[in-house]
Amino acid sequence: MNEETDEKHVESLKRLYAMQELGITFHRVASPKCVRLTAYFKPCPKSGCGKPDKNSSHVYEIRIDREMSVCSSPWVARGYVDGTLSFTVCAGGRCKCERLALSAFKGYLHRVLRKSRRNLAERCGVKFEKAR
């Protein structure tokens, strides 16, 4: 591989772990037996509204382990929101399991954090339209 290919690969990985519209970035820690992805979300208060609510910040975690007891696939990813299980994904390979879990979590966050997305869009001057 040359330097240009390496840079493209690094940029694609950054896009995989980041949700720039929400200001969330998953941080990855891996070993041969497991992978942990964690992210922290704390919304900014609207100007003039004071401090954000203490319950508005969240910790998101994806745990990927090699486990045959749950399903026939050897890799299982579990998504947690503030320590509570939200979903489980099974896949044949660790990389595929990681990508599927990230996609599932991003879909979940887009549905759950729609109010935060709207607030961020308003602060950036973008008109937010409701989905029909």
Side-chain angles (χ1 to χ4, degrees):
M1 280 194 189
N2 59 23
E3 287 182 28
E4 185 177 321
T5 307
D6 289 339
E7 289 175 16
K8 287 180 181 178
H9 183 67
V10 168
E11 288 301 315
S12 69
L13 288 176
K14 285 181 183 177
R15 282 195 309 269
L16 180 66
Y17 296 121
M19 294 183 67
Q20 294 174 349
E21 63 274 12
L22 293 173
I24 297 174
T25 302
F26 282 92
H27 300 282
R28 184 179 189 268
V29 180
S31 74
K33 294 183 180 182
C34 68
V35 177
R36 299 292 184 259
L37 300 164
T38 57
Y40 177 73
F41 176 74
K42 185 173 184 177
C44 300
K46 282 187 176 180
S47 57
C49 290
K51 296 180 181 177
D53 183 21
K54 289 181 182 179
N55 297 327
S56 62
S57 60
H58 300 284
V59 174
Y60 304 118
E61 182 181 12
I62 298 173
R63 299 176 189 170
I64 302 168
D65 298 300
R66 191 172 179 90
E67 191 175 313
M68 293 293 285
S69 63
V70 176
C71 60
S72 60
S73 300
W75 292 96
V76 178
R78 291 179 177 89
Y80 294 88
V81 177
D82 296 331
T84 305
L85 182 65
S86 293
F87 67 88
T88 302
V89 176
C90 299
R94 184 174 75 174
C95 184
K96 185 174 184 177
C97 190
E98 186 175 335
R99 288 178 180 266
L100 288 172
L102 279 166
S103 294
F105 220 110
K106 287 180 182 181
Y108 168 81
L109 291 175
H110 273 287
R111 287 188 303 275
V112 171
L113 299 177
R114 67 183 181 276
K115 183 177 179 184
S116 295
R117 277 197 335 241
R118 189 178 312 118
N119 291 341
L120 285 170
E122 287 173 3
R123 273 182 242 131
C124 295
V126 177
K127 186 176 180 182
F128 187 83
E129 295 182 19
K130 292 183 180 179
R132 296 178 190 195

